[in-house]
Amino acid sequence: HTRSLCDWSSDVCSSDLPIPCKWVDTNKGDHAHPNIRSRLVCKEIKAKMKGTSSELGPEEVFSSMPPLEAFMSLIALWVALFPSGYKLALFDVSRAHFMGTAKRELYVELVAEDLVQYGSDKCGLLRRSMYGTQDASQIWQENYTELLVSDGFQVGLSNGAVFYKPETNTRAVVHGDDFFVLGRQEDIDKFEKLLRTRYELKKLGNLGSDASDDKSGIYLNRVVQILSDSTRTRPKVTVEPDSRHAQLIIRELGLSKANGTDVPMPKRSAEEQWKDWESPLLSGDAIKQYRSCTMRVAYLAQDRADLSEASKTPARFMQQPDEGAMSLLRRVGRYLIRNPQVRRVFSDTKLPEKIRVFVDSDHAGCAVTRKSTTGFVSRLGHSTVKHGSNLQSTTALSSGEAKLYSMVG
């Protein structure tokens, strides 16, 4: 019920041609355990509208996406509240972008099966938003935000996709069509009932200490698991990133039979750094391979502090990768052979009262640009919720200046 028929050639359709649509098949599983999803998508985003009257402004298409540290903070709070009976629930809303009412008059081409039924002289007028339209994600966010606010939830001050209900001390993080909820069982049940008043959804997990509760669940391709030696009063929870990225990096770099190494990014002398910068540039498929593997390392580095520096250095060569940069990337691949998986453990049973941030920097660590690197770790209580390694944008003239930039930047 997302479109109503209209005559393609009538005056109602305005001067713009209907937007093409297509079916997109996605494997949400893997080759061994396929989970195929088919979705009808409008191709408005790919249309050449830049600079035209059909292009929407940033304020018309923006939708909030919670940072990874919001998810990690919820895990840290859950472990602290675990002895009080708090649980985590995971929900996946089906066909989320079809749930909001369309704001604009948009016409779409009918797919082949509809053309057979209604004729080739017809097109569709969108009654609801649709995957692939410019403002679909914003309409969806406005829809679920209105629902949660009507139930007493407050929208986060720093991000529009995090929510808190003071009355019941219930928290929620929304990533696209996935809801991640922390609360007592009765409040989680009420939250599910609230969602079902408007959406069709799947409950993917209900994690807790009771015998009937799940002990693991998957959220954003990360496995959240209560360890077997965990107890109600001394919980231990792990978050494990998708290991398939490490396997793909090793395979794409041709390192399946290579030896592993214990250090992902060794400290290099000035001569070695200059040699890397002056090495021949990559070409053809080698550039695509370098960029693909570098982005995979960066994705893993979100969860793995041991890859923070190892992801930053290859990323500096993304525009013009050379053989020296490829050598560094292959070193990271060899490190992943020996360390394919790292789990983050949460075991703090004291409710955190503050966020602590630890920062440090080197001075002129890059011998070529003379720029320094900032390393940082953010902790909620005793749980690490964010980490990173960033090249400073300003060239510091002393180690003291570099450390100052690390604190304020």
Side-chain angles (χ1 to χ4, degrees):
H1 306 294
T2 60
R3 58 190 189 275
S4 61
L5 292 176
C6 64
D7 187 68
W8 194 324
S9 60
S10 72
D11 295 335
V12 180
C13 288
S14 74
S15 59
D16 293 331
L17 291 175
I19 303 168
C21 293
K22 65 179 295 186
W23 285 102
V24 176
D25 298 328
T26 305
N27 185 4
K28 294 286 187 176
D30 52 36
H31 294 297
H33 304 90
N35 181 17
I36 307 298
R37 304 283 184 86
S38 296
R39 179 171 290 162
L40 184 60
V41 175
C42 171
K43 299 198 290 185
E44 187 190 22
I45 291 177
K46 287 194 173 183
K48 297 179 180 179
M49 296 174 298
K50 193 169 184 178
T52 69
S53 59
S54 298
E55 182 185 18
L56 300 182
E59 71 283 354
E60 297 175 284
V61 300
F62 176 79
S63 63
S64 299
M65 196 62 66
L68 183 61
E69 53 266 30
F71 164 71
M72 294 297 180
S73 297
L74 216 59
I75 298 290
L77 290 171
W78 175 42
V79 173
L81 293 168
F82 201 88
S84 301
Y86 278 72
K87 302 180 181 183
L88 277 179
L90 295 78
F91 300 98
D92 178 22
V93 174
S94 302
R95 298 179 291 279
H97 283 191
F98 288 128
M99 297 301 167
T101 303
K103 294 181 179 179
R104 298 174 293 145
E105 184 178 314
L106 284 180
Y107 296 87
V108 296
E109 293 181 2
L110 301 184
V111 291
E113 51 267 40
D114 285 338
L115 289 175
V116 173
Q117 182 176 357
Y118 299 109
S120 59
D121 61 336
K122 299 293 190 300
C123 64
L125 169 64
L126 292 183
R127 291 178 174 175
R128 294 183 176 272
S129 63
M130 187 176 186
Y131 288 94
T133 54
Q134 296 180 73
D135 53 358
S137 59
Q138 185 185 85
I139 293 174
W140 160 239
Q141 181 175 350
E142 291 175 350
N143 192 279
Y144 72 70
T145 298
E146 180 270 325
L147 178 65
L148 295 183
V149 170
S150 69
D151 192 57
F153 279 88
Q154 299 174 357
V155 183
L157 296 177
S158 63
N159 190 282
V162 296
F163 297 87
Y164 177 62
K165 188 175 182 179
E167 181 184 346
T168 59
N169 198 32
T170 304
R171 295 170 171 85
V173 172
V174 186
H175 191 283
D177 55 9
D178 296 318
F179 289 75
F180 196 59
V181 186
L182 170 64
R184 294 182 175 88
Q185 187 62 62
E186 58 268 26
D187 298 318
I188 288 176
D189 292 341
K190 291 178 181 177
F191 189 92
E192 180 180 1
K193 185 177 180 181
L194 175 68
L195 291 183
R196 291 191 183 277
T197 61
R198 186 173 296 185
Y199 311 125
E200 179 182 338
L201 56 91
K202 299 176 183 176
K203 189 174 186 179
L204 302 179
N206 196 102
L207 283 66
S209 60
D210 293 342
S212 58
D213 292 330
D214 298 318
K215 304 307 174 187
S216 67
I218 298 177
Y219 185 75
L220 303 180
N221 289 327
R222 293 168 174 85
V223 179
V224 181
Q225 183 174 21
I226 303 173
L227 296 182
S228 58
D229 59 344
S230 177
T231 64
R232 177 77 174 257
T233 57
R234 297 184 65 85
K236 290 183 180 179
V237 175
T238 62
V239 177
E240 188 174 338
D242 191 348
S243 62
R244 289 177 296 182
H245 290 283
Q247 298 166 5
L248 288 170
I249 291 168
I250 294 169
R251 188 177 67 191
E252 289 181 19
L253 292 176
L255 300 173
S256 300
K257 297 182 180 180
N259 295 323
T261 183
D262 291 322
V263 181
M265 191 59 59
K267 187 175 179 65
R268 295 172 298 144
S269 66
E271 291 76 15
E272 290 173 324
Q273 292 184 48
W274 274 105
K275 184 178 179 181
D276 289 340
W277 277 80
E278 295 172 348
S279 62
L281 296 176
L282 299 178
S283 61
D285 291 339
I287 295 177
K288 296 180 181 179
Q289 181 190 62
Y290 179 89
R291 290 172 176 166
S292 173
C293 290
T294 297
M295 291 308 299
R296 290 191 187 278
V297 173
Y299 181 81
L300 284 174
Q302 296 179 99
D303 295 87
R304 297 182 53 166
D306 58 329
L307 295 178
S308 291
E309 175 65 18
S311 67
K312 183 212 73 176
T313 303
R316 297 179 62 192
F317 296 87
M318 284 287 280
Q319 185 174 6
Q320 289 186 315
D322 55 34
E323 293 180 1
M326 178 61 86
S327 177
L328 294 175
L329 184 60
R330 290 175 64 85
R331 170 84 184 214
V332 178
R334 290 173 53 214
Y335 174 77
L336 291 175
I337 293 175
R338 188 161 293 181
N339 303 275
Q341 188 59 281
V342 172
R343 296 188 300 177
R344 190 179 305 195
V345 180
F346 296 81
S347 58
D348 188 6
T349 56
K350 182 179 179 181
L351 192 65
E353 299 177 351
K354 61 182 70 174
I355 298 174
R356 296 179 297 167
V357 181
F358 302 87
V359 296
D360 199 0
S361 74
D362 61 6
H363 176 237
C366 177
V368 179
T369 64
R370 303 297 296 172
K371 289 186 175 181
S372 308
T373 294
T374 295
F376 70 91
V377 173
S378 299
R379 309 196 78 188
L380 184 60
H382 295 295
S383 301
T384 298
V385 296
K386 186 177 176 63
H387 59 266
S389 176
N390 302 322
L391 192 72
Q392 295 181 3
S393 58
T394 304
T395 303
L397 301 181
S398 67
S399 59
E401 187 178 351
K403 292 183 184 299
L404 174 64
Y405 292 150
S406 70
M407 289 189 290
V408 300

